[in-house]
């Protein structure tokens, strides 16, 4: 299609377009994209678009403005409609700004760098370069710019929270720099202009001043408490009026109040403070102070010491005890009584001493931090043992001189001597008994009688302690065993992985003890008495299990100093005398950061024991010597570590989070066990803890209130 500035053209199938020679006008109509462009040679343009493809619009604007444009491959498929006034002409810059606004409405942006315009999606525009600190944002239209806005009178973080909803959600960003109290805003130039104007209107100094009001009679801390109660509001109102709310600070040293407020508020509060600062009718007064956190007995002891010091100072100023008698006669002495049931203090003192008492009570009656300490004891052991030995027994048989002997090795446990002793005890002894005729009494013969046997109890006890393979080989003759061999073989592997995690929560500087285990009896002595009459034993009980004893102290920077005693004990076995216990104990003091993990101590033990017993000369014979040898090898490897993990609980929220986590863990274990069911009792239900619900209970709505009132009537 050929275009000129003086010809009227009609394109078949693409619609009609009328071009007038008036004003040297160029008209183009594209029916496929419904694009109508009217251009004036006098540097004036008109752009009308109806449901045009966005790429064709980009191409047309590039021709009008003469700008080089790079289009991202993801910029496609959007239909653009632009309708300009029929009797108004636009410059190339205005046409370009209209084009940028249409891109923004369709989720794209035009980023211009060094004369090249990149058409990209909103999400990627934040990573592209944009003009910074422009002097006239108005000429940029809807192009994205970055502006650094200094804030003079208000907190940049606070004003950022207010302005954030006004920033474009797709690609706009607003940041606050605390060090310089400035805002960094990246958004369209038109929106930047709006936000800058809002900041200029709100960033103004208020009329607050700080005034020091000395008090003559009342306590500064008590007056501040009253003023704060009067000005206390709900959470929402506090957030809205945080800047306008007056602030009070009590200076206990000079008994003065530092007041920061506006002019009108300062006049009202100054009059209120003067009304409260009046002398009392009597020289002394009585007050009841209910404590929130501290113990009344402990605070009373501290106040008594302060009262004695103040009384000594007054005696010194009045010229000694003699002169102080008259002074004390004209004014009441101080009195401090602690009421344990209500955790309260009943104070009677002159005003000056009462102010001292109030200041000390406020300093001591504060919420103390708590510490949750978790100890982790890990012990991993690996034991391997191998035993192999052959023992021999040679027994004489018949009459005359016969060889007899024993090869007995004790490094592999059960010996052949113990086995033979048990067999002999089970067999008993044989005796030859003459038999007689019961009528004549004449000896008729002999009979062999066996007696003294233990029915194999000794042999059973010996074999009961046997571990591994025990194989006996013997040669029997008419007179009994002539020789015997006992073979012992054992290979054992024992792995142990022990984990204990005791934990305890306690207040700062308060000792806590956690024990989990059992008490076992330990015999410390015995008495038989005369002729074994009235025998008795002295028994002491010993704790066996896990014990954690600690005292935390929270230091500056949330570091925790811990005085720890950690003990883990267990029963190892028993001897002929008493039981044997294993014990691991750590006693130390450490400094740990809040939430940190530190190792208290550990043990890495690698023990190899080899034992060999053999018959001299015979045991050294190659191969054959193993028949006269007994060997035992044991390897024990043990790793023991003790860790500590303290967590400072600063407020109720952290305490609830920790308790909820522990509670949920135990409940999950119970649910898992309940899902498995109870063996042999399928009809029974396992116990499960209730849910840990911390949801707030909202008050009833107005409609619910009316319904309840109607039901009540």
């Amino acid at each position: 299609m050929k275009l000129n500035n003086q010809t009227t053209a009609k394109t078949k199938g693409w619609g009609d377009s009328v071009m007038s020679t008036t004003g040297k006008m160029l008209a183009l109509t594209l029916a496929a994209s419904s694009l109508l462009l009217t251009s004036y040679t006098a540097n004036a343009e008109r752009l009308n678009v109806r449901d045009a493809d966005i790429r064709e619009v980009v191409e047309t604007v590039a021709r009008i403005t003469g700008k080089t444009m790079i289009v991202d491959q993801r910029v496609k498929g959007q239909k653009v409609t632009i309708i300009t006034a029929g009797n108004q002409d636009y410059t190339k810059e205005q046409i370009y700004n209209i084009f940028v606004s249409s891109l923004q409405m369709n989720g794209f942006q035009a980023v211009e760098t060094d004369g090249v315009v990149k058409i990209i999606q909103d999400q990627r525009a934040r990573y592209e370069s944009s003009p910074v600190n422009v002097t006239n944002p108005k000429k940029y239209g809807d192009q994205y710019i970055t502006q650094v806005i200094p804030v003079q009178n208000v907190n940049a973080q606070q004003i950022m929270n207010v302005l954030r909803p006004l920033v474009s959600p797709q690609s706009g960003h607003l940041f606050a720099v605390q060090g310089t109290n400035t805002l960094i805003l990246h958004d369209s130039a038109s929106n930047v202009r709006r936000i800058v104007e809002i900041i200029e209107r709100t960033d103004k100094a208020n009329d607050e001043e700080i005034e020091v009001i000395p008090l003559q009679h009342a306590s500064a801390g008590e007056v501040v408490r009253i003023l704060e109660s009067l000005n206390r509001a709900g959470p929402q109102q506090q957030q809205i009026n945080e800047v306008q709310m007056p602030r009070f600070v009590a200076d206990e040293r000079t008994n003065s109040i530092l007041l920061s407020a506006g002019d009108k508020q300062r006049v009202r509060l100054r009059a209120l403070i003067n009304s409260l600062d009046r002398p009392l009718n009597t020289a002394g007064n009585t007050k009841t102070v209910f404590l929130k956190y501290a113990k009344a007995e402990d605070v009373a002891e501290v106040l008594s010491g302060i009262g004695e010091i103040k009384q000594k100072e007054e005696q010194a100023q009045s010229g000694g005890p003699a002169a102080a008698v008259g002074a004390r006669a004209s004014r009441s002495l101080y009195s401090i009584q602690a009421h344990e049931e209500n955790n309260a203090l009943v104070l009677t003192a002159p005003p000056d001493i009462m102010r001292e008492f109030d200041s000390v009570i406020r300093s001591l009656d504060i919420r103390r931090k708590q510490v949750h300490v978790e100890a982790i004891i890990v012990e991993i052991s690996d034991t391997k043992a191998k035993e192999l030995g052959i023992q021999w027994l040679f027994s004489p048989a018949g009459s005359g001189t016969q060889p007899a002997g024993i090869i007995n090795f004790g490094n592999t446990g059960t010996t052949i001597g113990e086995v033979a002793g048990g067999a002999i005890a089970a067999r008993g002894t044989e005796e030859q008994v003459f038999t007689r005729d019961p009528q004549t009494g004449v000896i008729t013969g002999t009979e062999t009688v066996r007696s003294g046997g233990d029915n194999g109890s000794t042999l059973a006890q010996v074999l009961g302690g046997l571990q591994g393979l025990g194989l006996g080989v013997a040669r029997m003759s008419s007179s009994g065993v002539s020789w015997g061999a006992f073979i012992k073989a054992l290979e054992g592997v024992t792995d142990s992985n022990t984990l204990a995690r005791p934990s305890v929560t306690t207040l700062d500087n308060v000792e806590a003890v956690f024990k989990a285990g059992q008490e076992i009896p330990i015999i410390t002595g015995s008495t038989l008495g005369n002729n074994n009459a009235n025998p008795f034993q002295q028994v002491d009980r010993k704790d066996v299990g896990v014990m954690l004893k600690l005292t935390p102290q929270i230091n500056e920077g949330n570091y925790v100093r811990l005085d720890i005693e950690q003990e883990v004990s267990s029963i190892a076995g028993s001897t002929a005398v008493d039981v044997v216990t294993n014990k691991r104990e750590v006693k130390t003091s450490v400094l740990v950061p809040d939430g940190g993990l530190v190792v208290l101590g550990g043990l890495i033990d690698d023990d190899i024991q080899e034992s060999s017993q053999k018959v001299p000369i015979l045991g050294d014979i190659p191969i054959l010597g193993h028949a006269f040898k007994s060997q035992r090898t044991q390897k024990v490897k043990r790793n023991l570590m003790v860790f500590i993990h303290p967590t400072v609980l600063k407020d109720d929220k952290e305490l609830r989070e920790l308790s909820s986590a522990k509670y949920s863990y135990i409940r999950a274990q119970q649910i898992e066990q309940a899902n498995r069911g109870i063996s042999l009792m399928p009809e029974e239900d396992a116990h499960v803890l209730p849910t840990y619900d911390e949801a707030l209970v909202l008050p009833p709505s107005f409609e619910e209130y009316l319904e309840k009132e109607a039901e009540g009537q």
Side-chain angles (χ1 to χ4, degrees):
M1 179 176 60
K2 184 178 180 181
L3 302 175
N4 53 53
N5 58 355
Q6 294 181 348
T7 305
T8 301
K10 183 176 181 181
T11 305
K12 184 179 179 181
W14 282 17
D16 297 334
S17 175
V18 179
M19 293 186 293
S20 174
T21 59
T22 303
K24 298 180 180 180
M25 179 182 68
L26 172 65
L28 172 65
T29 302
L30 300 177
S33 59
S34 298
L35 174 65
L36 175 61
L37 170 65
T38 305
S39 175
Y40 290 88
T41 58
N43 199 22
E45 311 288 345
R46 292 181 185 178
L47 180 64
N48 287 321
V49 175
R50 296 181 184 276
D51 294 332
D53 185 84
I54 189 169
R55 286 178 171 266
E56 296 182 3
V57 176
V58 172
E59 181 179 356
T60 303
V61 174
R63 292 175 182 173
I64 295 174
T65 60
K67 295 180 181 290
T68 302
M69 297 189 182
I70 302 176
V71 183
D72 191 344
Q73 61 179 357
R74 287 179 284 268
V75 180
K76 59 182 179 179
Q78 296 289 341
K79 299 296 183 180
V80 180
T81 299
I82 301 174
I83 302 174
T84 59
N87 58 353
Q88 184 178 356
D89 298 331
Y90 299 92
T91 63
K92 294 181 179 181
E93 290 76 10
Q94 291 175 333
I95 290 291
Y96 180 72
N97 289 335
I98 295 174
F99 167 68
V100 172
S101 300
S102 65
L103 288 178
Q104 183 186 14
M105 294 184 62
N106 288 276
F108 305 107
Q109 288 189 28
V111 180
E112 185 172 359
T113 305
D114 297 332
V116 178
V117 180
K118 292 184 285 187
I119 311 300
I120 58 178
Q121 292 177 320
D122 268 342
Q123 293 81 358
R124 297 186 56 196
R126 70 181 66 177
Y127 308 111
E128 299 293 336
S129 62
S130 60
V132 179
N133 278 358
V134 299
T135 57
N136 186 16
K138 185 176 181 180
K139 71 175 185 179
Y140 286 87
D142 284 334
Q143 297 183 51
Y144 272 68
I145 63 174
T146 302
Q147 201 80 358
V148 179
I149 308 170
V151 182
Q152 303 296 333
N153 301 293
V154 297
N155 191 319
Q157 183 68 37
Q158 293 179 348
I159 199 170
M160 183 196 69
N161 297 333
V162 176
L163 297 176
R164 191 180 293 277
L166 303 179
V167 181
S168 301
Q170 296 297 330
S171 55
H173 293 279
L174 179 63
F175 304 96
V177 182
Q178 295 291 343
T180 58
N181 201 43
T182 57
L183 295 174
I184 299 177
L185 174 61
H186 176 78
D187 207 337
S188 63
S190 58
N191 200 28
V192 169
R193 288 172 50 205
R194 180 180 65 146
I195 293 178
V196 169
E197 184 177 353
I198 294 174
I199 294 175
E200 290 176 352
R201 292 178 177 272
T202 57
D203 186 21
K204 295 182 180 180
N206 54 29
D207 58 349
E208 287 189 0
E209 293 183 3
I210 299 178
E211 182 179 357
V212 179
I213 304 176
L215 302 182
Q216 300 296 329
H217 308 284
S219 171
E222 186 66 20
V223 173
V224 167
R225 185 186 64 81
I226 296 174
L227 295 177
E228 289 178 346
S229 300
L230 291 175
N231 289 275
R232 186 177 295 118
Q236 296 180 353
Q237 187 175 354
Q238 287 182 353
Q239 294 177 2
I240 297 174
N241 301 327
E242 184 177 357
V243 179
Q244 293 82 9
M245 288 184 62
R247 293 183 290 273
F248 320 94
V249 177
D251 184 9
E252 301 291 346
R253 186 179 63 86
T254 61
N255 195 36
S256 303
I257 296 177
L258 278 71
L259 173 62
S260 175
D263 293 337
K264 295 181 180 179
Q265 290 178 326
R266 238 185 4 260
V267 173
R268 179 180 62 86
L269 294 172
R270 192 186 305 115
L272 180 59
I273 293 173
N274 292 333
S275 300
L276 295 175
D277 187 25
R278 294 181 179 180
L280 298 175
N281 295 329
T282 59
N285 61 340
T286 300
K287 179 190 293 187
T288 302
V289 181
F290 293 92
L291 303 181
K292 298 179 181 179
Y293 307 104
K295 293 183 63 176
E297 294 81 359
D298 299 338
V299 178
E301 184 178 353
V302 176
L303 296 180
S304 299
I306 295 175
E308 293 177 0
I309 295 175
K310 296 293 292 184
Q311 185 169 345
K312 291 180 181 179
E313 291 178 354
E314 291 182 1
Q315 292 177 355
Q317 293 175 359
S318 60
V325 174
R328 287 197 300 269
S330 61
R331 61 188 304 179
S332 301
L333 297 177
Y334 73 89
S335 173
I336 303 170
Q337 301 293 329
H339 193 265
E340 183 178 357
E341 287 77 5
N342 291 323
N343 194 35
L345 294 173
V346 181
L347 307 176
T348 302
D352 55 344
I353 299 181
M354 185 66 74
R355 287 196 296 267
E356 296 282 346
F357 287 166
D358 289 339
S359 176
V360 174
I361 291 173
R362 283 193 301 272
S363 301
L364 296 179
D365 190 25
I366 59 175
R367 187 184 187 279
R368 299 167 62 184
K369 294 181 180 180
Q370 300 184 89
V371 181
H372 177 78
V373 181
E374 184 177 19
I376 305 174
I377 303 103
V378 183
E379 182 174 1
I380 302 175
S381 62
D382 183 12
T383 303
K384 297 181 179 179
K386 288 186 178 182
E387 299 177 4
L388 179 62
I390 302 177
Q391 306 174 55
W392 297 88
L393 177 65
F394 303 96
S395 176
S399 60
T401 302
Q402 298 290 337
I406 186 172
I407 299 177
N408 197 38
F409 300 125
N411 62 339
T412 57
T414 306
T415 65
I416 193 173
E418 295 174 345
V419 176
I424 294 174
R427 185 179 61 182
T429 59
E430 295 181 351
E431 294 182 349
Q432 298 291 330
V433 179
F434 295 101
T435 58
R436 298 176 181 273
D437 189 341
Q439 295 181 355
T440 60
V442 178
I443 297 174
T444 59
T446 59
E447 182 181 0
T448 302
V449 178
R450 188 180 301 275
S451 63
D454 61 355
N455 296 324
S457 60
T458 303
L459 181 61
Q461 183 177 1
V462 171
L463 296 179
L466 176 66
Q467 295 181 352
L469 173 65
L471 179 62
V473 181
R475 182 179 183 278
M476 306 295 295
S477 62
S478 58
S479 58
V481 178
S482 60
W483 61 269
F486 183 68
I487 303 173
K488 171 71 183 302
L490 172 66
E491 180 176 359
V493 177
T494 303
D495 293 329
S496 176
N497 187 347
T498 303
L499 174 63
R501 298 181 62 179
S503 60
V504 64
T505 302
T506 181
L507 287 172
D508 184 22
N509 283 320
V510 176
E511 183 183 76
V513 178
F514 174 85
K515 292 183 179 181
Q518 57 183 169
E519 290 185 346
I520 60 173
I522 304 294
I523 300 176
T524 58
S526 60
T527 302
L528 297 178
N530 297 329
N531 298 325
N532 292 334
N534 193 23
F536 67 92
Q537 292 179 334
Q538 297 176 351
V539 179
D540 188 16
R541 294 191 175 273
K542 179 178 177 61
D543 293 331
V544 175
V546 179
M547 190 274 290
L548 176 63
K549 182 179 180 182
L550 58 91
T551 302
Q553 179 182 0
I554 303 175
N555 298 330
E556 291 293 334
N558 280 339
Y559 273 79
V560 183
R561 184 182 186 274
L562 296 171
D563 297 328
I564 302 175
E565 293 184 25
Q566 173 68 59
E567 178 182 320
V568 179
S569 56
S570 60
I571 300 176
S574 60
T575 63
V577 179
D578 216 328
V579 297
V580 179
T581 60
N582 295 325
K583 185 176 181 180
R584 292 101 165 96
E585 183 177 4
V586 176
K587 184 178 182 180
T588 183
S589 297
V590 294
L591 188 65
V592 192
D594 177 20
L597 182 68
V598 66
V599 58
L600 297 183
L603 172 66
I604 299 177
D605 187 13
D606 199 348
D607 183 17
I608 299 177
Q609 296 181 0
E610 293 182 337
S611 175
S612 178
Q613 296 181 356
K614 61 183 178 180
V615 177
I617 301 175
L618 296 178
D620 297 329
I621 300 175
I623 301 176
L624 185 61
H626 289 286
F628 304 96
K629 183 187 300 184
S630 177
Q631 292 179 312
R632 181 177 184 271
T633 301
Q634 183 177 13
K635 181 180 180 181
V636 179
K637 186 175 182 179
R638 181 170 65 247
N639 295 323
L640 173 65
M641 290 292 170
V642 181
F643 302 89
I644 201 75
H645 173 64
T647 302
V648 179
L649 306 177
K650 306 177 186 64
D651 49 28
D652 294 337
K653 177 183 177 182
E654 295 184 0
L655 180 61
R656 286 195 301 269
E657 290 177 353
L658 177 65
S659 302
S660 177
K662 298 287 186 181
Y663 190 94
S664 300
Y665 172 77
I666 294 298
R667 187 172 183 273
Q669 297 294 321
Q670 289 186 327
I671 293 176
E672 182 181 357
Q673 185 177 14
N675 292 335
R676 293 196 301 265
I678 302 176
S679 179
L680 302 180
M681 295 182 181
E683 69 281 356
E684 297 292 336
D685 296 331
H687 298 290
V688 177
L689 289 171
T691 58
Y692 185 81
D693 189 8
E694 286 289 335
L696 295 176
V697 179
L698 298 177
S701 62
F702 183 71
E703 291 76 7
E704 294 175 347
Y705 174 77
L706 294 179
E707 292 178 359
K708 291 183 179 179
E709 288 293 328
E711 293 176 358
Q713 294 177 355

